[in-house]
Structure formats: structure tokens, C-alpha cells
Amino acid sequence: MIKFILKRLGISLLVLLGGSLLMFVLTINSGDPLEDYRESNDRNKEQIIAAITRNLRLDDAWYERYWEWLRGVSGCVVGKCDLGTNINGNDVTVLLGNAAGSTLRLVFIATILAIFIGIAVGIVTAIRQYSGFDYVVTFLTFLFFSLPVFWAAVLLKEYGAIRYNDWIADPQISPLQAIIAALVLAFVLQSVLGGDWRRRLITGGVTAVFVFAALTYFTSVGWWRAPALGIGIVAVVAIATAVGLTALVAGLNNRRVLYSTLTTVAVGIVSYYAVSPLLEAPTIVVLLVLLVVAIAVGLVSGYFWGGYSSRRTAMSLSAITAVVMGLLILVDRAVYAWAEFLNLKPRPISTIGSSTPNFRGEYWESILDNATQLLLPTILLTLISVASYSRYTRSSMLETMNQDYVRTARSKGLSERVVIVKHAFRNALIPITTIVAFDFAALIGGAVITESVFGWKGMGELFRTGLTAVDPAPVMAFFLVTALAAIVMNMLADIAYAFLDPRIRR
């Protein structure tokens, strides 16, 4: 395996070298960086042209400029990166650090959400093949996949920002709107859960009544402007997570695993009050320590409850439950700050920029500001990726579920949960892993348009301004990050193959 990885790294570096040379040559030959300045009537025209010529080293041959850039990049191996200067004489390494932080934050969150949502939807549609739910999801995924990014971004800005900001000033949901929302969610849930007509009717009816009552109650108490979760909702969601994970992976008949995850939730409920003072204005170190403690609690609970046969499963599920519980506590704390955030920023969803200039909120208000700035571009990139993940997951699951070993597992009397989770899904993950590797790098490239529409100061703007000005340094910095992301993700995919299919290790 190590020999295979080293071979792949060597090939990837050669591809990276050839791609960088091609990108550099194409960029410097895409136009004349001095064209606008030669036609200028500015009295300092000659000084400006001389400065740009010096910054871009236009008097040197192209191979000398490329070699100088390559030397600077090679210094990154020892932590001394020198990516050159842009047309204005600014250090590109500093510009890349700021731009990459914004873009990678956006792309990483969108990728994680797309993986979980897309795979879950793909599995359900494979199980409910040719059902009404399958047809609806198929239509929506093809719609999202074919949507022009710029057009979808404009729609999100109109309905997700402008009209939402108008609504949140005096949030009201009429009974008719509540009925429509309840019926839509009831239809979706009964389609996902399936069953005979009686089970579908009960599921849809309960869902419709619950959603209608919740929307009516939230509107009457003004919850939309002053929301609160509280320990009750946190506990209910955490318990549902614990029971759902246990039912999906181990089965509810495995009492040891169920008790382990529920014990983790109980400890989390107690710690809800204990960690409250630490969450007033936590640092990254504090949050990391709390994360480690939460995982440790889950592992200890699984170790003692799991017994000899189920210890590993109990420990892993309890650790996941602990992380979910911790995230719920953080979300609860952020929700409490929403009312004050609206006082500081009456129109919370911005359409331009990655942060609000001169925002004067406290810790949690600043977190909400960054989150609302991330919201729309993240939704856009997630919808596009979900379409791919759900389709590939569906086709891979359908192919796997028709294999002989799956039929053999069913003939042995194994439950459908075991057949799908432990036999079909694991083998179906291999082609999906490949898509994840390519999609991450593709999202960075696709973020160019998204960032342009939403006015993000990220790598998209760095690439676009560099290409417009025929400035190779910013363009090459964008290429370097994108290419390295593709290489790293493909390497992780190769390693994941070995874990998913032991035959690949040989």
C-alpha cells in the first residue's frame, strides 16, 4: 500500500508540474497587461508602466518567469512560500491565505452537507425504486444539476435574502400557509417511510397535525424573532439521534448499544448546564477540549455498556451521539443570540460579501453574522452537489443490491437493515468515494461564479482579477490550491478504497 501511494504521489507531482507550466503559458499569452496603461492620459503613465513591468518581470523571458515562480513554490516544502507579487506589487502569498480561508470554508461545509444529504437521499430512492418519492427526487436532482449557477444564485438572493429580510421584520404565517407547509411535509415523510396505505395515512396525518400546530404556535409567541431550543428540544433530538443510529447500525434488539447511546445522551443533558459558563465566549481551544471530552464520554459509555460482542459498535455509535449532542448544545446557544443579532442587523441575510463591515456584535452575534453570510452560497453549492451524490448513490446501491451475495444474505434470514447497511451500502461506497474526491476540487473551481455573484473575497475573485489583468501570480496561486486539493482528495480516496475493500490492499 505504501509503495502504491508513493507511486501515485510521484505521478501526481509530474501532472502538477505539467499543468502548472501549461497554465502559466496560457495566462501570460492571454492578453497585454499594459494595454490600458499605454492608452492612458495620466501624467504618471511611464512610472506606472515601469512599476508593472518590474512587478510582473515583463522584460524577462517566459521560462525565466516560470522558473522563478517554481523556485518560490518549492520553498513551501520548508515553510517559506514565495508566490510572487501581483500587478500592484502585493504579496500573493498573503492574498492567497485570506482568499483560501474564505473559499475552503465555503467548499468544505458544502461538501460535508452534500455528502450526508445526497447519500441519504440516494439510499432511500434506491430502496423505494419507482415509487412516487423516487420520481419526485429524480426530477428535482436533474433540475438542480442542470440549473445555471448564476441564475440559481440570483433566485436565492431574491427569495432567500431580500424577501426573507422583509418577512422577518414582522414574521407572520397565515393558517393557509401553515396548512400548505404541513401537507407538503406530510407527503414527503410518508413517501420516504413508505408502507401500506394505512401506515402512510397515519404517518402523513400525524406529521401534518404536528407541523401545523408547531407553525401556529411559533407565530403566536413570536418565536421567529426570539427563538429558543432549550434542554427539552435538545434532549428530544439527541434521544432521536441515539435511537436512530442504534436502529440503523445495530438494531434496537441490541440493548447494550441502545443503553450506551442513551447513557451518552443523559450525560450530555447533565453537562448542558455544566458547560454553559464556558460557552459565553469560547475560544477554539476550549471548543476542541470540549469535543475531546465529549468523544471520550461516548467511548467510555460504549466500553462499559458494549460487552464483549458489541463493544466496538457501542463505542463508535456513542462517540457519534456525543458529537451530535455537543453540536446541539452549540446550536442552542447560538439560537439564543438571534434576538440580539436582529437588533444589531435588522436585515440578517446579506446578498454581498463574506462578512458584515464594522459589525459590533459579541461572540455569538459574530458567529451568526458569519453563518448568515455563508448560508446562501453554501445552499447553492450543496444543491448542485446533492444532485450528483444522490444519483450515483442510487445507481450504485441498485447495482449492489442485485448482486449474488446480497441475495445470499437475504436467503440466510438476515434483516433488511443488516442486508442494506452491512452488505449493500459498504460495497456501494467505492464508486461514491471517487465522486467525493473529484467533487471537492470541482467545487473550488465552481466557486468562481458563486463568489462573483455573492461578492465573496475568495479564490474566485483572486483568479478572476488575475486573469483579467493578465497577472500570472494570482492565477497560479489559484491553480496551486485547486490542483493540490485534487491530488490530496484522490489520495484519500485511494486509501479509503483499501478500507472499504480489503482486496485492494494487495
Side-chain angles (χ1 to χ4, degrees), residues 211-481:
V211 172
F212 177 78
L215 292 178
T216 304
Y217 173 76
F218 288 157
T219 303
S220 63
V221 300
W223 189 88
W224 307 111
R225 288 192 61 87
L229 297 182
I231 187 60
I233 296 180
V234 170
V236 169
V237 176
I239 291 173
T241 301
V243 174
L245 285 174
T246 304
L248 181 64
V249 178
L252 294 178
N253 292 329
N254 195 329
R255 298 298 182 184
R256 287 185 174 273
V257 176
L258 180 61
Y259 293 156
S260 172
T261 55
L262 291 178
T263 300
T264 304
V265 173
V267 175
I269 293 173
V270 175
S271 64
Y272 175 88
Y273 299 98
V275 301
S276 293
L278 298 176
L279 297 180
E280 290 298 325
T283 62
I284 296 295
V285 175
V286 171
L287 293 177
L288 289 177
V289 170
L290 291 176
L291 175 62
V292 172
V293 172
I295 295 175
V297 169
L299 294 176
V300 170
S301 175
Y303 182 84
F304 284 105
W305 274 113
Y308 178 77
S309 59
S310 304
R311 180 165 291 159
R312 183 176 179 180
T313 303
M315 291 176 68
S316 59
L317 293 185
S318 296
I320 296 174
T321 303
V323 173
V324 172
M325 185 75 186
L327 291 176
L328 287 172
I329 293 175
L330 291 179
V331 170
D332 174 71
R333 185 60 188 82
V335 165
Y336 274 115
W338 180 255
E340 181 60 29
F341 175 66
L342 288 179
N343 292 331
L344 297 171
K345 191 178 177 183
R347 301 184 67 81
I349 310 297
S350 300
T351 58
I352 297 295
S354 57
S355 61
T356 303
N358 303 318
F359 186 75
R360 299 183 179 276
E362 299 294 333
Y363 178 85
W364 288 106
E365 286 80 10
S366 300
I367 292 293
L368 288 174
D369 178 55
N370 292 327
T372 52
Q373 301 290 126
L374 271 170
L375 184 62
L376 296 185
T378 300
I379 291 175
L380 178 61
L381 294 179
T382 300
L383 287 178
I384 296 172
S385 295
V386 161
S388 300
Y389 286 128
S390 62
R391 289 295 90 190
Y392 277 106
T393 302
R394 180 183 182 274
S395 61
S396 184
M397 282 290 295
L398 289 175
E399 180 181 357
T400 304
M401 290 169 66
N402 289 324
Q403 297 296 321
D404 291 338
Y405 62 86
V406 175
R407 285 193 288 267
T408 302
R410 285 197 176 102
S411 67
K412 289 180 178 179
L414 297 178
S415 65
E416 192 67 13
R417 175 190 60 79
V418 174
V419 171
I420 292 175
V421 175
K422 293 190 175 181
H423 292 273
F425 178 59
R426 176 165 181 167
N427 290 280
L429 276 177
I430 294 179
I432 299 172
T433 304
T434 306
I435 302 303
V436 173
F438 284 103
D439 187 66
F440 185 81
L443 276 179
I444 297 179
V448 174
I449 299 176
T450 304
E451 290 177 0
S452 298
V453 176
F454 287 102
W456 270 59
K457 304 295 183 181
M459 292 180 59
E461 185 191 19
L462 190 71
F463 174 81
R464 181 173 53 81
T465 55
L467 198 60
T468 303
V470 197
D471 185 358
V475 176
M476 296 304 294
F478 174 86
F479 169 82
L480 185 64
V481 173

